[in-house]
Amino acid sequence: GVLVDNKKLTHDAFLDNGCGFLRPKQRAYPRRYHPELAARIVGDLEASAGDVVVLKLVNRARGAGVVVCPVAALDGVLKRLLQPPVGRAMQEWLEKHAPSALKEDRSREVLAEQALHYWSNESPVFVAEEPRRSIPVPLPARTDNGETNDLAADGETGAQVYDGTRRVAYAL
């Protein structure tokens, strides 16, 4: 339930149980923009100018609310995600977008789609984390009769690999 549905609680459970080495460095922040927020994230994650950080809503799945952002663009992206239009500006935004809401393809401009997730999210926090690459695992090759050929698992060139994108099964 709640533990696996909330990225911050899951991260904290890993840390509390001595498994922090399995998780990327992560920090939680209030879902409000302020001018020092980008610098704070960069400092907390020990990122440098050429790096990227990963922003995530804590209670979303399947990529909703996930933004991979270059450090150089972080302040502008945070402004876009964390400052929804308010008052008359929101009314105008709704009037402009409501007629085509069901027809519009927001996938062409990823940040616009992600901004909608941030604007409508009920959680008061989001997380920023360092990017981590998963380690592809070689898969055993199958012979014509369906049997496993373990040679491919030993790193033979051309072997298929499984990329688990750092998914970890964790039992609490």
Side-chain angles (χ1 to χ4, degrees):
V2 172
L3 184 62
V4 295
D5 289 341
N6 185 301
K7 290 171 184 64
K8 179 170 177 6
L9 294 178
T10 302
H11 180 80
D12 292 349
F14 271 73
L15 296 180
D16 293 346
N17 288 283
C19 295
F21 64 93
L22 294 171
R23 300 285 306 143
K25 189 180 297 183
Q26 181 188 90
R27 298 288 187 275
Y29 303 93
R31 207 169 38 84
R32 288 185 312 264
Y33 176 79
H34 60 83
E36 296 83 32
L37 182 58
R40 183 172 166 208
I41 290 171
V42 169
D44 289 349
L45 298 181
E46 300 175 7
S48 43
D51 289 340
V52 298
V53 297
V54 182
L55 308 175
K56 296 181 177 181
L57 290 169
V58 297
N59 59 350
R60 290 292 186 258
R62 297 186 207 119
V66 176
V67 177
V68 179
C69 182
V71 165
L74 186 57
D75 187 62
V77 169
L78 290 168
K79 282 180 186 176
R80 177 103 183 256
L81 297 176
L82 303 176
Q83 292 183 319
V86 293
R88 183 71 191 141
M90 176 56 93
Q91 185 62 37
E92 290 170 0
W93 187 91
L94 288 170
E95 288 170 4
K96 177 181 176 184
H97 291 87
S100 61
L102 296 177
K103 297 179 267 182
E104 231 173 289
D105 180 7
R106 294 209 172 273
S107 64
R108 295 186 193 279
E109 214 257 285
V110 175
L111 195 55
E113 179 181 355
Q114 297 299 355
L116 295 176
H117 291 293
Y118 277 78
W119 297 352
S120 63
N121 193 265
E122 60 278 2
S123 176
V125 299
F126 72 99
V127 295
E129 63 184 35
E130 66 180 347
R132 287 271 185 99
R133 297 189 191 280
S134 54
I135 301 170
V137 178
L139 297 175
R142 299 263 180 210
T143 61
D144 290 338
N145 64 3
E147 294 178 9
T148 301
N149 175 354
D150 290 330
L151 293 176
D154 293 333
E156 179 179 307
T157 306
Q160 289 186 321
V161 294
Y162 172 73
D163 183 348
T165 61
R166 303 215 30 98
R167 304 268 184 221
V168 178
Y170 187 71
L172 297 176

